[in-house]
Amino acid sequence: MNKKLLSIVTGLFLYLIPVSAFAVTEVIWWDFLGGGDGVRMKKLIESFNSSHDDIQINATTLEWGVPFYVKVQTSAAIGEQPDMMTYHLSRFPLAVPTGVLRPISKAELASVGITKDRFFPANWEAANFGGATHGVPLDIHANVMYFNAEMLAEAGLLDSNGDPTLLDGIDNFMAGLAKLDTMVEYPIGFASGNGGMIWRWWYSILRMMDGEFIVDGKVCPGDKCERATQVLIDLVEKGYMPSETDYGSAKAMFASGQSAIHINGVWEVPTFVDLRKNNELGFKFGVRDMPQLFEKEATWADSHAFAIPHSDKKPISDEKLKAVLTVMGWMSDNSLFWASAGHIPANKDIVESVFYNNMEPNSDYANIGNNMVTAPSSHVTGVASPTYDAFQNFIMPAVNGQLSAEEAVQMVRDDVESLM
Amino acid sequence: MNKYNKKSIISSYLLIFPFVFFYFLFLLYPTIYTLIFSFTNSPLIGWGEWVGMENYIKLWNDKLFWKSLKNTFVFVFWTVAPNTIIGLICALMINRIKSYLLSGTLLACFFLPHILPVTVVTEIWGWMVSKQFGIIQELLDFWGFKRIGFFSQKTWAMPMVALITIWWTVGFNILLFIAGLKNISPDLYEASDIEGANAFQQFRFITWPLIWPITALVLTLQLIFQLKIFDQMYLLTGGGPFNSTIVVLQLVYKQGFQLNKGGYASAIAMVLFAIIVISSVFQYQLLRNKDEKQ
C-alpha cells in the first residue's frame, strides 16, 4: 500500500518537473489540417521530434477556417498564442493589417537557410504582403479533377495513354458527361452545397475565360462572372452533378462509384491513395488538371505557410524563436513527404528533385505550377473571407436553381463591394 | 427592525457575495464595456476612437440588420408558441400515465436530446437530411416525393431549423410543465368527477388556469432563448440561402469576428439586448395580468 502511494507521489513529482530542466524547448504548434493532410503532417512532426533532442513540437489541430483564424487573433490578444501555426497565404491581406503576424527578418530566415531564391516568385511575393516576410510558404494546393479510370474507359473517354479525352473545351466536356450520364446517375460528384468548393471551381472557370473577380475596386466587371456561374447551373440542371450536396457526400459518391468524376483539391489525393492501397476503393483512379472549358488553362490555387503569431502582451522569446525557425527550415527541407499529401512543395529545390518527379500521382498534374491562379490580393477574398461567405450565400443557391446567374452575381457584387 | 440582528445581516451579505461578485465580473462589467465599445470604431481586439452615435446611425441604415431582425422574429414565431404547446401536450400525456416506469422512460426519451451539445444535434440532423445519403430523403423517395435540400432551400431552411430546435429543447419545457401539473391537487379532479365534469371541462377549468403561471414562465423563457438564436443557424444554414436565415447574433459574429469591426458588432449586440429586455418584460407583464384577471 505504502509502496503504491510512494510511486504515485514520485510519478506526480516527475510530472511536475518543468520540461526545460532537460534543456528541451517546446514549440506550441497550431494547425487546421484534417483528413489525409493531417495524418501526413502528424508524421512529419513525429519525425522532427524523434530527430531533435533539444526541440519538441507540441501540436494541436483546430477547426479549419474562421474558427481557426479567430482563435489565433483572440489568443494573441491575451498572450496565449501558439509559437507557430499554419496560415493560408491568400489570407495574408486580411491578417497583416491586424498585426497578428510577426514579421520575420531576412537574417532570421537566413539562419536556417530560408532564402527568397528557393521559392516560387508568386508564393514568395504573397508571403511578403505588406513589405516584410510574414511567413514561410510550405506548399501550393490547387483544384484538380479525379476520375474513375475504369468508368471513363468503358465510356470510351480514355485515349491510348490512359488520359481522359473530355478535358478540352466545354462542348467536348458536356458530350463526355452525356455519355457518362447513361452509366451513372450523376457523372460528377461535386459538393454543390459548399460555397468554398463552388468558389474554387467557379474562380478557375472565370480565369479560363480570362475574367477577373476584382478590378479597381469593382467586383465582377462585365458579364464573365454570370457566364461562369451559368456553367455550374447548367451542370446541375442537366443532371450531370447532384444538387445541394455537402463535402463528405460528394467525396463518398466518387469513392463508392456513384459518380465518375470528382472535382476537389489536391488535399484529397492521400484519401483516395490510402483507400486504394487498403483495397477499399473498388476501381483505378487518376488525377489530372482541371478540365479546360474555355480559352485559357487555369486552376484555383492557394498556399499553406508557416507563420509566427504576434502578441503585444507576450512576444515570442529568443529561445522559442530560434526553435521555431529551426522547425520552419526543417519542414521546408523535408517537404517532399508533404507532397505525398497531394500538394506541390513551395520549395523549388524539392520540386526539381528526381524524387518528386517520379512521385505518383503528383507528376500527373505537375502542370498546375504553370497555370495556377490565386485569389486577388484583397482583404475581402482568401480563405474564410467575406467572398467565401458570399458564395455560400448567393452563388450556391443559384447553382442549385434558386436564383438566376444574373441575380446571384449582382448580390455578390453588392455584398462584397459594401465591405471594400 | 430588531428582527434582523447584526450577525444575520453579515451572514446574509456573505451568502450573496459570491453571486454578486460573479454577476458583476461576468455580466455587468462586460455589458458596460460592450456599451462603451458600441460608441467607438474599435476592431475586435483593442480600443478605437470615440465616434458617438455613428454605429447606431449606420445600423439604422443597414438593410442586412433589418433583415436579420425580421428573420429572428420569424424564428421566434416558428419556435416559441409551438415549443410551449408541444411541451404542454406531452406533459399532459405523460402525467396521465399511471406506471412510473413507463412515464419515467418517456420523460427520459424526451429529455435526452436536451443534454446533447448543439454541435452533436446539428451533426445528427445534418446526416439525417443529407440530400444524397440522408435517411429522411430515403423516406421521401419511398413516399414518392422529390428529395429536398432542407438547409439550402429558402422555403425549408427556417422551419427546419425551428423543428430541430423544438426537438432539441422541448424536454426542458415538458419537465417544467410536469412539475406544475404535479402541484395541482388531485382533490380538485376528484370533486369535479363527482360533479360529472368531462375531461375537456377538467382541462379547461382546472388544469389550464392552474398551470397558467408555468405557461407564462415557459413562454417568457422561450422568447428570451429564441431571440438569442445563433448556434443552430451558424452550424446548419450559415445564414443562407441568400441571407434568408441570417439572424441578429449572426450579424454580430460576422461584423465582429469575420470583419474585425468590434465597435459596430457591439452596437448591434446592444440593440438586441434592449429588444430582449423590452419584449420579455412586456410579454411577462401581459401574461401575468391575464393570470390575475382570471
Side-chain angles (χ1 to χ4, degrees):
Chain A
M1 190 66 191
N2 270 344
K3 255 188 186 167
K4 198 175 170 191
L5 194 70
L6 190 72
S7 71
I8 292 173
V9 172
T10 341
L12 268 176
F13 184 66
L14 282 176
Y15 180 76
L16 289 173
I17 293 179
V19 183
S20 58
F22 303 108
V24 173
T25 308
E26 189 188 34
V27 170
I28 307 289
W29 158 307
W30 285 3
D31 67 41
F32 43 70
L33 304 162
D37 255 22
V39 174
R40 275 150 182 83
M41 186 49 90
K42 278 176 192 78
K43 268 200 186 145
L44 264 180
I45 291 172
E46 260 169 41
S47 65
F48 176 90
N49 280 346
S50 60
S51 61
H52 290 75
D53 295 330
D54 51 339
I55 302 169
Q56 290 296 299
I57 300 170
N58 181 354
T60 309
T61 301
L62 299 156
E63 178 81 12
W64 183 95
V66 180
F68 181 86
Y69 289 122
V70 169
K71 197 171 164 77
V72 165
Q73 211 186 343
T74 49
S75 65
I78 55 164
E80 292 289 332
Q81 77 281 12
D83 301 319
M84 68 180 291
M85 60 186 172
T86 51
Y87 220 94
H88 288 96
L89 281 186
S90 67
R91 212 186 146 86
F92 273 32
L94 271 102
V96 172
T98 67
V100 74
L101 301 180
R102 180 193 181 279
I104 313 172
S105 74
K106 259 198 190 117
E108 285 163 354
L109 290 169
S111 73
V112 289
I114 296 172
T115 46
K116 182 181 170 180
D117 56 293
R118 293 181 66 190
F119 294 88
F120 289 104
N123 257 194
W124 192 253
E125 199 184 307
N128 280 271
F129 182 89
T133 310
H134 287 96
V136 177
L138 171 67
D139 65 38
I140 299 162
H141 50 268
N143 246 19
V144 285
M145 184 187 92
Y146 299 82
F147 62 94
N148 182 324
E150 288 159 29
M151 231 178 251
L152 260 62
E154 201 185 319
L157 295 168
L158 285 188
D159 65 14
S160 51
N161 298 325
D163 287 323
T165 56
L166 44 52
L167 297 177
D168 203 10
I170 187 155
D171 297 331
N172 185 27
F173 186 59
M174 290 291 187
L177 294 178
K179 274 187 202 162
L180 290 166
D181 201 25
T182 60
M183 299 163 60
V184 280
E185 194 181 350
Y186 296 111
I188 309 174
F190 177 68
S192 55
N194 181 311
M197 294 304 296
I198 293 176
W199 158 255
R200 295 178 190 121
W201 194 2
W202 182 94
Y203 190 63
S204 310
I205 297 173
L206 179 72
R207 302 286 287 147
M208 287 173 195
M209 295 172 175
D210 214 8
E212 294 277 1
F213 185 57
I214 299 179
V215 181
D216 301 331
K218 285 268 163 261
V219 174
C220 283
D223 69 343
K224 283 180 177 154
C225 288
E226 283 87 345
R227 283 173 55 203
T229 311
Q230 195 59 47
V231 172
L232 297 179
I233 294 176
D234 289 346
L235 287 173
V236 170
E237 209 174 76
K238 289 198 165 89
Y240 292 164
M241 63 187 194
S243 59
E244 293 153 333
T245 302
D246 60 87
Y247 189 95
S249 299
K251 218 165 76 174
M253 285 179 77
F254 179 70
S256 61
Q258 289 181 42
S259 62
I261 290 171
H262 181 52
I263 304 287
N264 204 334
V266 293
W267 54 85
E268 292 297 350
V269 164
T271 309
F272 297 119
V273 167
D274 290 353
L275 280 175
R276 183 75 181 149
K277 210 163 60 190
N278 301 333
N279 279 324
E280 284 164 349
L281 196 67
F283 55 87
K284 199 172 161 276
F285 79 98
V287 189
R288 292 292 184 278
D289 291 17
M290 292 288 283
Q292 189 193 340
L293 304 181
F294 297 97
E295 305 87 66
K296 285 175 64 173
E297 278 186 304
T299 177
W300 164 92
D302 198 342
S303 285
H304 294 130
F306 289 121
I308 304 173
H310 168 70
S311 167
D312 285 333
K313 239 186 188 137
K314 203 178 132 211
I316 189 165
S317 69
D318 287 344
E319 183 205 355
K320 288 256 195 188
L321 179 66
K322 225 180 124 210
V324 165
L325 288 168
T326 309
V327 174
M328 286 182 174
W330 189 91
M331 288 289 165
S332 187
D333 291 340
N334 290 279
S335 52
L336 180 66
F337 181 73
W338 184 238
S340 72
H343 310 284
I344 301 170
N347 187 332
K348 272 199 300 192
D349 300 346
I350 305 281
V351 176
E352 282 156 14
S353 71
V354 186
F355 303 106
Y356 181 73
N357 285 304
N358 288 325
M359 206 160 175
E360 287 280 346
N362 300 48
S363 52
D364 288 335
Y365 56 83
N367 196 28
I368 283 173
N370 302 319
N371 59 28
M372 61 177 231
V373 286
T374 52
S377 177
S378 144
H379 70 282
V380 291
T381 54
V383 164
S385 65
T387 298
Y388 270 64
D389 270 8
F391 268 66
Q392 182 70 34
N393 212 345
F394 307 118
I395 303 293
M396 189 278 283
V399 170
N400 294 296
Q402 292 190 70
L403 292 173
S404 71
E406 289 73 24
E407 285 170 328
V409 171
Q410 191 53 45
M411 287 176 180
V412 171
R413 276 189 197 113
D414 295 344
D415 187 62
V416 177
E417 275 176 12
S418 75
L419 304 170
M420 286 165 70
Chain B
M1 259 326 255
N2 42 13
K3 216 165 89 185
Y4 307 105
N5 60 35
K6 213 174 161 191
K7 217 172 151 190
S8 74
I9 289 175
I10 291 177
S11 62
S12 55
Y13 274 115
L14 271 178
L15 284 171
I16 61 164
F17 174 75
F19 171 77
V20 173
F21 176 76
F22 286 111
Y23 187 77
F24 265 90
L25 187 65
F26 291 116
L27 210 107
L28 286 185
Y29 174 71
T31 309
I32 292 164
Y33 247 78
T34 310
L35 181 66
I36 300 171
F37 241 66
S38 72
F39 296 107
T40 67
N41 63 359
S42 310
L44 179 62
I45 310 282
W47 282 103
E49 286 161 25
W50 190 266
V51 293
M53 292 300 287
E54 202 177 279
N55 285 329
Y56 290 92
I57 295 165
K58 189 175 157 195
L59 186 77
W60 185 262
N61 297 314
D62 188 343
K63 270 191 223 149
L64 199 55
F65 169 71
W66 291 106
K67 188 163 197 173
S68 68
L69 195 63
K70 192 194 112 200
N71 287 341
T72 307
F73 278 100
V74 170
F75 184 75
V76 163
F77 169 81
W78 281 113
T79 48
V80 174
N83 209 351
T84 310
I85 294 167
I86 294 170
L88 180 59
I89 292 173
C90 292
L92 286 171
M93 292 198 287
I94 291 174
N95 201 40
R96 286 178 75 92
I97 297 170
K98 294 279 181 291
S99 150
Y100 269 114
L101 185 69
L102 186 60
S103 67
T105 315
L106 273 176
L107 190 59
C109 288
F110 279 114
F111 197 72
L112 217 53
H114 193 68
I115 62 172
L116 295 177
V118 65
T119 40
V120 175
V121 170
T122 53
E123 199 73 4
I124 290 172
W125 280 88
W127 275 109
M128 289 216 296
V129 304
S130 152
K131 186 116 185 239
Q132 302 309 319
F133 298 105
I135 189 162
I136 290 178
Q137 306 288 358
E138 301 285 333
L139 283 176
L140 290 177
D141 286 350
F142 180 74
W143 289 322
F145 293 106
K146 264 181 78 175
R147 293 191 169 209
I148 299 167
F150 284 104
F151 299 128
S152 42
Q153 285 182 14
K154 200 184 168 200
T155 33
W156 286 98
M158 186 68 93
M160 198 62 197
V161 178
L163 179 77
I164 292 167
T165 305
I166 293 172
W167 175 84
W168 181 36
T169 57
V170 76
F172 185 65
N173 297 341
I174 296 176
L175 212 62
L176 287 177
F177 277 123
I178 285 186
L181 290 171
K182 294 261 185 262
N183 263 339
I184 302 175
S185 161
D187 299 349
L188 293 171
Y189 293 103
E190 251 173 58
S192 64
D193 260 341
I194 295 165
E195 301 292 334
N198 62 26
F200 176 75
Q201 284 168 326
Q202 281 182 340
F203 173 77
R204 172 69 188 83
F205 296 105
I206 301 172
T207 316
W208 180 247
L210 289 176
I211 201 80
W212 180 254
I214 302 283
T215 313
L217 176 75
V218 170
L219 278 171
T220 309
L221 285 179
Q222 278 295 315
L223 183 76
I224 296 171
F225 284 151
Q226 310 308 356
L227 279 172
K228 293 193 297 185
I229 168 74
F230 170 72
D231 318 20
Q232 300 98 296
M233 289 302 178
Y234 174 71
L235 292 164
L236 291 169
T237 68
F242 33 103
N243 290 331
S244 64
T245 62
I246 190 167
V247 287
V248 178
L249 271 187
Q250 208 180 335
L251 195 63
V252 173
Y253 175 81
K254 191 177 164 137
Q255 290 291 343
F257 289 93
Q258 278 179 284
L259 304 172
N260 206 26
K261 296 200 168 109
Y264 188 48
S266 301
I268 304 172
M270 286 320 294
V271 172
L272 181 67
F273 177 66
I275 289 171
I276 292 178
V277 170
I278 293 167
S279 52
S280 51
V281 168
F282 180 71
Q283 190 199 26
Y284 197 65
Q285 289 303 324
L286 199 76
L287 299 176
R288 218 181 48 151
N289 285 344
K290 196 186 164 199
D291 172 41
E292 278 161 10
K293 266 177 243 155
Q294 284 186 343

